[in-house]
Amino acid sequence: MTTILGISAFYHDSAAALVVDGDIIAAAQEERFTRKKHDYDFPANAIEYCLSAGGLEPQDLDFVGFYDKPILKFDRLLETYIAYAPAGFRSFLMAMPLWLKQKLHLPREMRKALKGGYRKRFIFPEHHESHAASAFFPSPFEEAAILTLDGVGEWATASYGTGRGNRIELTHEMRFPHSLGLLYTAFTYYCGFRVNSGEYKLMGLAPYGEPTYVDAILKHLLDLKDDGSFRLDMSYFNYCQGLTMTSRKFHRLFGGPPRSPESQLEQRHMDVAASIQKVTEEVMLRAARHLHDVTGMNNLCLAGGVALNCVGNGRILRDGPFENLWIQPAAGDAGGALGVAQLIWYQLLDNPRTPQPDDLQSGSFLGPVYTNDQIIEFLDGVDATYHRYDDDKQLCDYVAGLMAQEKVIGWMQGRMEFGPRALGGRSILGDARSEAMQSVMNLKIKFRESFRPFAPSVLEESVDEYFETRPREQSPYMLLVANVRDDKRTALDGELNGLQGLDKLKACRSEIPAITHVDYSARVQTVDERRHGRYYRLMKAFEKKTGCPVIINTSFNVRGEPIVCSPEHAYRCFLATNMDVLVMENIVLLKQEQSNAEQHEIDEYLATFQLD
Ligand SMILES: [Fe+2]
């Protein structure tokens, strides 16, 4: 037996993954345990969970890999500082303590975290090798082109190459400070969202605007080549030397200073969002076309934070040259933990790899699981009122019926998801046909910005009935956007047609308005019985009752909160919000029956999490 632990840490989204004889046994992000979103501290809890899932102690491990090369990263920090000195002294000084204390002494830190039990060597591949490994090795392909795009690793900000059998080879890279991830993040910052977490909001905002700044971006900010590579004009940016992302010159170009967080969103911000989204898609498409030209392959694998841009991914699949696309669900830095572990097993140890039609990621259900007994023990301890449905069909029928009455359902089943999306393991569910649901979910359940869209889960066999996809197109990881089909759209009368900006939300655009974004797009998750089990059966029951194979699936958390992991997290979130029903395995709780519901104040609960 060969046991391999992969670790990513110290940038954002720390995580651990355990691979035993090539099988992915467990993977989880540290934030789920510490309840600190995007926690970047050393993932002690995630490691402990992975080891316990494998029934292992630190001394049982054969290899431990870290997802990047810290010394090389430090080298980039120093060189960048020197190139811009004396500007940048403050940010340099701020970065130093963590480097001197932990990052430069990783082996020591890791040995300490493994309680002195691990005495073998540590392996440090390059950051983009870890991303690439996480994209290719679990994929269903025998061979594929690989593209990684992110903010920055050591020096590389993008790379490409190929995967064949049990090997990956990266042949080209783009280097810091020229970076698609950092470019997108600069606009995230400029539009008043949080760096390294608000990118999703920027993407969600884009359909409200018009891409009026595309020419300005392409003329001034970047020199984009046919192959998707580019150079940024660094006079518009400040991230090499300052504590902000953008410079005054940037602000002049886009007509004002950065929007302050939580302030009113203006049409200009939406137009800026639409513009950078369009440019990002163009870069992704050009890179994909070039990669197809040089490799002649039919399959493409993607990873790196930019691969969470599901609108861009959808463009690559629908408008790009590749026949098949597989994206690592934990495409951000958390996925590097899995990548390094698999890189060691396949490439370093030269073990054979047998791809499977459904991939090797197990639906990304790689986190902790709780039994009915554990759930009941917890619920009894807090005096909750609950009902147990041992019959699966009865349970699914009952919950589907509640959902059809516009009840909002907290749904916790099986293992927790690895990666940022909730996929039916730790989800909040609702009726996609409801016109009120988009606003109810945003304002009364998740307490987040009203403009943010919700994503659908759809039965895999029905995906092309509702969305412009191929028949039975698989998107189990919710990483691809597709448009709602014409025949499911509602004709808008003249007045509604002319709505601008956030007013676009007022128009009911389709038969499934709660998940139809203002440009008719939807971030689709397909659900099948093999991967999703009871979640699939619940949706089947809902379809039987209502004729609709589509529901809302959003992550089980409130704004700023990491997705829930344990029954305790789920119960607290259920009580604090206006969620109506909580289902954990075979146990159902109704809000109206909970005597201690009013003790929990939402403001107090929200205050325990930092705004994202
Ligand atoms: Fe990365």
Side-chain angles (χ1 to χ4, degrees), residues 11 67 127-128 131 149-153 304-305 331-333:
Y11 186 46
Y67 83 134
H127 188 99
H128 279 256
H131 277 316
L149 298 162
D150 73 354
V152 60
D333 283 351

Side-chain angles (χ1 to χ4, degrees), residues 106-211:
L106 259 179
R108 185 188 75 196
E109 287 297 308
M110 290 200 282
R111 276 190 216 289
K112 212 164 74 187
L114 293 164
K115 302 183 180 95
Y118 180 76
R119 290 169 203 282
K120 296 168 198 138
R121 68 185 174 128
F122 293 101
I123 289 157
F124 298 89
E126 281 193 29
H127 188 99
H128 279 256
E129 277 181 301
S130 295
H131 277 316
S134 78
F136 176 68
F137 290 130
S139 82
F141 310 134
E142 176 58 35
E143 59 167 45
I146 305 172
L147 176 64
T148 64
L149 298 162
D150 73 354
V152 60
E154 297 88 0
W155 281 99
T157 60
S159 74
Y160 71 75
T162 53
R164 283 190 179 87
N166 67 350
R167 305 198 73 75
I168 57 168
E169 190 188 0
L170 294 178
T171 51
H172 292 77
E173 66 178 33
M174 196 162 80
R175 293 194 135 208
F176 185 83
H178 312 291
S179 160
L180 185 57
L182 290 173
L183 175 68
Y184 205 84
T185 296
F187 279 90
T188 302
Y189 163 84
Y190 181 71
C191 288
F193 302 121
R194 233 178 130 99
V195 164
N196 289 335
S197 83
E199 284 74 7
Y200 249 92
K201 300 185 188 182
L202 194 69
M203 192 180 73
L205 187 65
Y208 294 97
E210 298 299 328

Side-chain angles (χ1 to χ4, degrees), residues 276-414:
I276 188 58
Q277 177 59 34
K278 195 150 185 211
V279 169
T280 301
E281 290 165 27
E282 181 62 28
V283 175
M284 290 172 83
L285 264 175
R286 284 193 195 191
R289 286 188 185 123
H290 176 71
L291 193 48
H292 185 259
D293 283 349
V294 297
T295 63
M297 288 172 156
N298 292 328
N299 308 317
L300 174 65
C301 293
L302 286 179
V306 178
L308 294 170
N309 193 309
C310 20
V311 183
N313 297 343
R315 290 284 312 275
I316 287 184
L317 182 65
R318 287 171 229 302
D319 305 337
F322 286 96
E323 259 168 55
N324 304 299
L325 176 62
W326 195 85
I327 306 152
Q328 165 56 236
D333 283 351
L338 179 58
V340 55
Q342 291 183 309
L343 191 73
I344 294 170
W345 172 255
Y346 291 113
Q347 194 134 333
L348 196 74
L349 302 176
D350 200 20
N351 285 299
R353 170 176 166 271
T354 316
Q356 299 296 324
D358 270 351
D359 74 43
L360 299 171
Q361 187 91 12
S362 306
S364 222
F365 297 110
L366 301 168
V369 61
Y370 297 86
T371 62
N372 281 316
D373 289 346
Q374 286 172 310
I375 293 163
I376 286 172
E377 192 188 322
F378 166 75
L379 291 176
D380 286 342
V382 292
D383 257 339
T385 307
Y386 58 85
H387 309 272
R388 181 171 177 156
Y389 292 82
D390 278 323
D391 182 278
D392 196 69
K393 189 175 174 306
Q394 225 185 354
L395 173 73
C396 290
D397 277 350
Y398 177 53
V399 177
L402 292 168
M403 196 156 43
Q405 294 163 31
E406 293 195 296
K407 301 280 187 237
V408 176
I409 318 282
W411 179 256
M412 171 172 165
Q413 298 289 336

